[in-house]
Amino acid sequence: MSEGERQWIAAARRGDQNAFRRLVELHARSLYPVCVRILGDPALAEDAVQETLINAHRALDRFDGRSSFGTWLHRIAVNAALGLRRSRHPEREAPASDDDESPYAVVADTAPEPAELASGAQLGSSLANALDELTTLERTAFVLRHLEQYPLEDIASALESNVNACKQAIFRAVRKLRTALAPWRVEA
Amino acid sequence: MNPVSDEDLVLYHYRDGLPRERLAEIEDALFRDDGLRRRYERLRGELNAAGGAFAVDTPDAGFEARIWRGVRRDLPREPVGARIARWLSPRENGRLALAFTVLAALALGYLLGRTGDSPTPATVAQAPLLERDAGSRVLASYLAQHLETTERALMLAANGDGDDDTARELAQQLVASNRMYASAAQRANRPQLAAFLRELEPVLIELAHDDAGLDPAELRESIRERDLPFKARAAAALARQDLAPATQSL
């Protein structure tokens, strides 16, 4: 954390809006990807970034400097995006069971034609469908582990869950995504 | 050793959620077992492909400005103490110094007006703006800067290219000093310049407050129709000329 950033934080705590604006300008862009990935919607992701920064302003006194300000904001962003996703997609809350239908059953119905396979045209939509199939827990756990490099302990904390439940959510997410990719699998 | 499941391979891939001994076992098995190594390579490839499905487009250039507009609406009103602290901060010292200089120059102009030799009307008409002393030259320089910044704020507002926040911030800085410059111009017998600065005042006030009366599109149109950015540039150029020993009037 730079000296300038430290000073802006101190000034923002005293109510200096210009200082907080500097912090917004410095960090807003880096918060956007995780919000898009959790929400799957760029417009909603902007709302989540905005909400993150409003929440951060309210909680500035609780920032203790043990992590960087960016890391602290990132965690608030995960919570904001998660909250928004839960409110927009309550139907995706139910955790999928490991005993659900065979992961390959979906593939049987949607398997692409050879020409489509050759062009790879259907790969994107197949993955997009698979992403839509993920519950909020599965999607967020996978995003945080695979793309944001959160340790499982931190994912459990962010999701207010436990490490084992997060592991299972990641396994289910990986299985669903691999299923979507199965038609394109080239056996070695 | 227990067989290595796909779940084990996922956790091994992230080096997370497995005891160190199990990680070592899997590492060893991957070294010895071609089939397991192929399974792991396939998993890695598929995880990478799945990760690609989460690719994110970079937000456009107006992203931060939009976010700030939304955030600012929800922030509590800035306390007076914070505003004073901001004025006293090193970054703002320049603005504070400018205000003091303007006030000092106005006071000096006032004293000279009262105690100095009264110039004839013809002399005043020909005199460069406030060229009677060094303080006045400083004032002319600040006036030129003020007009150039005004031009920039007006241009931003007139273009409506999404950078409304910058225009607003500039206007907020300009409003307070604009009236002082108008008084100074009047005292320096530059009625046209004074009138132009007075014409600017309501526009700057509109620009400075996003909750002011005029619709942004109307304000933009009004700025364009009255050609205010050009007038501000012309006035700034004349003020700069006044710094040189030449005679010119607005």
Side-chain angles (χ1 to χ4, degrees):
Chain A
M1 191 158 52
S2 71
E3 188 51 38
E5 191 177 10
R6 235 184 281 277
Q7 286 176 3
W8 292 336
I9 294 166
R13 277 180 172 146
R14 292 192 299 269
D16 182 337
Q17 290 194 1
N18 267 4
F20 192 65
R21 181 182 179 168
R22 308 270 172 221
L23 294 168
V24 168
E25 286 167 350
L26 186 66
H27 291 287
R29 195 165 283 260
S30 67
L31 302 173
Y32 179 73
V34 72
C35 293
V36 176
R37 286 166 178 155
I38 290 173
L39 287 158
D41 179 327
L44 272 184
E46 276 204 30
D47 291 347
V49 172
Q50 197 173 298
E51 193 179 320
T52 299
L53 292 159
I54 291 166
N55 292 343
H57 187 269
R58 288 185 189 134
L60 268 178
D61 283 338
R62 295 205 290 277
F63 172 63
D64 57 15
R66 275 184 295 182
S67 63
S68 74
F69 191 66
T71 304
W72 185 70
L73 284 178
H74 197 277
R75 280 155 206 249
I76 298 175
V78 169
N79 284 331
L82 200 52
L84 211 50
R85 183 175 170 89
R86 281 174 170 155
S87 68
R88 296 294 173 114
H89 299 293
E91 76 284 359
R92 307 243 171 99
E93 278 302 293
S97 155
D98 278 351
D99 300 328
D100 279 354
E101 60 181 311
S102 156
Y104 290 91
V106 181
V107 179
D109 290 338
T110 59
E113 296 299 318
E116 290 170 328
L117 272 178
S119 69
Q122 207 184 348
L123 177 60
S125 67
S126 181
L127 271 174
N129 289 340
L131 294 183
D132 276 347
E133 290 292 314
L134 301 181
T135 64
T136 295
L137 181 67
E138 290 162 358
R139 183 177 176 118
T140 308
F142 180 74
V143 163
L144 293 183
R145 181 54 269 185
H146 187 71
L147 296 152
E148 307 294 335
Q149 278 90 47
Y150 271 45
L152 283 163
E153 292 274 358
D154 290 2
I155 297 171
S157 163
L159 292 168
E160 294 173 342
S161 182
N162 60 62
V163 167
N164 196 45
C166 291
K167 274 186 196 175
Q168 296 306 320
I170 291 169
F171 295 153
R172 287 194 301 272
V174 170
R175 200 156 52 227
K176 288 178 183 178
L177 293 167
R178 294 186 83 190
T179 300
L181 289 165
W184 285 267
R185 183 179 291 163
V186 178
E187 295 297 339
Chain B
M1 180 185 116
N2 289 330
V4 179
S5 66
D6 279 1
E7 283 77 11
D8 285 332
L9 287 178
V10 169
L11 295 177
Y12 172 82
H13 180 71
Y14 296 129
R15 304 293 196 277
D16 192 9
L18 284 176
R20 192 175 300 170
E21 305 75 45
R22 182 64 175 158
L23 283 172
E25 279 179 5
I26 295 172
E27 180 117 32
D28 187 49
L30 281 169
F31 183 71
R32 288 183 287 99
D33 183 340
D34 287 346
L36 182 63
R37 198 161 54 247
R38 276 197 296 278
R39 271 175 59 207
Y40 178 56
E41 287 306 319
R42 193 169 63 205
L43 171 71
R44 277 179 50 174
E46 288 170 346
L47 283 174
N48 286 341
F54 290 90
V56 176
D57 290 334
T58 308
D60 62 73
F63 176 76
E64 283 83 359
R66 279 198 305 283
I67 295 292
W68 172 244
R69 264 200 300 278
V71 168
R72 195 181 49 179
R73 271 195 290 272
D74 269 55
L75 297 187
R77 198 174 163 74
E78 197 171 22
V80 175
R83 268 183 261 172
I84 293 170
R86 180 143 54 82
W87 271 88
L88 294 174
S89 74
R91 186 178 155 265
E92 302 293 345
N93 279 350
R95 202 186 296 175
L96 197 61
L98 183 149
F100 279 126
T101 307
V102 170
L103 285 172
L106 283 172
L108 188 60
Y110 178 75
L111 287 172
L112 287 173
R114 289 186 60 172
T115 59
D117 294 337
S118 296
T120 64
T123 314
V124 170
Q126 293 297 314
L129 173 65
L130 299 172
E131 71 164 3
R132 284 173 291 181
D133 52 43
S136 301
R137 285 181 182 281
V138 171
L139 176 57
S141 166
Y142 280 132
L143 175 59
Q145 282 176 27
H146 173 81
L147 288 163
E148 283 158 1
T149 311
T150 301
E151 184 207 349
R152 198 175 144 224
L154 292 169
M155 287 294 288
L156 284 170
N159 289 339
D161 58 0
D163 200 3
D164 294 342
D165 279 347
T166 307
R168 186 174 303 117
E169 197 173 80
L170 287 174
Q172 284 165 355
Q173 293 168 16
L174 293 165
V175 163
S177 47
N178 191 71
R179 193 172 294 177
M180 286 191 290
Y181 286 122
S183 300
Q186 194 66 50
R187 291 193 64 77
N189 200 23
R190 304 298 293 270
Q192 283 176 288
L193 176 59
F196 175 62
L197 288 164
R198 280 196 297 270
E199 182 187 356
L200 284 175
E201 185 169 328
V203 179
L204 291 175
I205 289 171
E206 285 282 348
L207 268 180
H209 302 285
D210 54 356
D211 51 354
L214 268 185
D215 175 69
E218 284 179 59
L219 182 61
R220 217 166 18 244
E221 198 51 42
S222 164
I223 291 170
R224 283 189 194 140
E225 271 180 6
R226 290 150 70 191
D227 216 1
L228 292 179
F230 174 77
K231 286 180 185 170
R233 191 188 316 158
L238 287 174
R240 290 251 176 246
Q241 280 182 30
D242 279 338
L243 291 169
T247 56
Q248 182 98 34
S249 65
L250 182 72

